[in-house]
Amino acid sequence: MPSCLGIYVGENVIKYAKVSKERERVKVEAAGVKFYENTEEAIKEVISETFSDKTPISINLINEKYVYADVKDDPDKEELEEEINTEFERLCDENGEDKKNLEYRKILAGHLQDANKKRVIYSYVKKIDLFGRVRTNRKS
């Protein structure tokens, strides 16, 4: 039975839910809210309390932003990856962001309207916000 722990980190609050799926049935194994002063310790507690040491974990941060782009569905993996990175750089330029100052991830999905394209979902957060939050909470 595959499972996943989802964690949302906000200002001094963590919301979490551990879900599992067996066939078509989804079950919430654990859920809750935890108030904290130290982010790292609070996340460790949630993982321990939900027995999620070996479970995939998905974390969403308070300042995280999402942007979407469409790219040509290229069978050449290197060219596709290059187009995905170029598109993110273009989106950064449009929004006045410097790619070097961002921590980002991307997910490639099918395009609902055009079979010749892929939809890319970029999730990003400013590195200074991410590392500043960790540094501040470690001092607590």
Side-chain angles (χ1 to χ4, degrees), residues 68-74 80 83-84 87 107-122:
Y68 304 88
D70 296 329
V71 295
K72 180 179 61 173
D73 187 9
D74 196 328
L80 179 61
E83 184 176 356
I84 290 169
E87 188 63 23
I107 298 172
L108 193 60
H111 196 285
L112 297 177
Q113 286 84 29
D114 190 342
N116 297 320
K117 292 185 178 181
K118 291 284 186 186
R119 168 65 49 110
V120 185
I121 305 166
Y122 302 95

Side-chain angles (χ1 to χ4, degrees), residues 60-135:
N60 184 2
L61 301 170
I62 194 168
N63 294 330
E64 195 170 32
K65 296 179 183 171
Y66 297 89
V67 290
Y68 304 88
D70 296 329
V71 295
K72 180 179 61 173
D73 187 9
D74 196 328
D76 183 340
K77 299 281 186 208
E78 287 181 22
E79 286 191 32
L80 179 61
E81 189 65 29
E82 185 177 321
E83 184 176 356
I84 290 169
N85 289 330
T86 301
E87 188 63 23
F88 186 67
E89 289 171 5
R90 184 190 66 76
L91 291 166
C92 287
D93 288 343
E94 283 181 3
N95 293 306
E97 299 284 359
D98 185 348
K99 180 181 170 184
K100 292 181 282 184
N101 296 331
L102 302 175
E103 183 68 33
Y104 74 99
R105 302 287 183 264
K106 59 193 177 290
I107 298 172
L108 193 60
H111 196 285
L112 297 177
Q113 286 84 29
D114 190 342
N116 297 320
K117 292 185 178 181
K118 291 284 186 186
R119 168 65 49 110
V120 185
I121 305 166
Y122 302 95
S123 168
Y124 68 93
V125 64
K126 292 182 180 180
K127 287 180 182 178
I128 195 161
D129 291 344
L130 181 62
F131 297 127
R133 164 165 270 189
V134 170
R135 189 172 37 256

Side-chain angles (χ1 to χ4, degrees), residues 22 25 29 33 35 45 49 59-60 62 72 117:
E22 186 173 329
R25 198 169 139 249
E29 293 181 21
V33 176
F35 296 95
E45 287 176 17
E49 290 171 8
I59 297 179
N60 184 2
I62 194 168
K72 180 179 61 173
K117 292 185 178 181

Side-chain angles (χ1 to χ4, degrees), residues 1-4 18-22 25-30:
M1 173 172 7
S3 62
C4 179
K18 183 175 182 179
V19 295
S20 61
K21 183 175 180 182
E22 186 173 329
R25 198 169 139 249
V26 177
K27 176 183 173 187
V28 177
E29 293 181 21

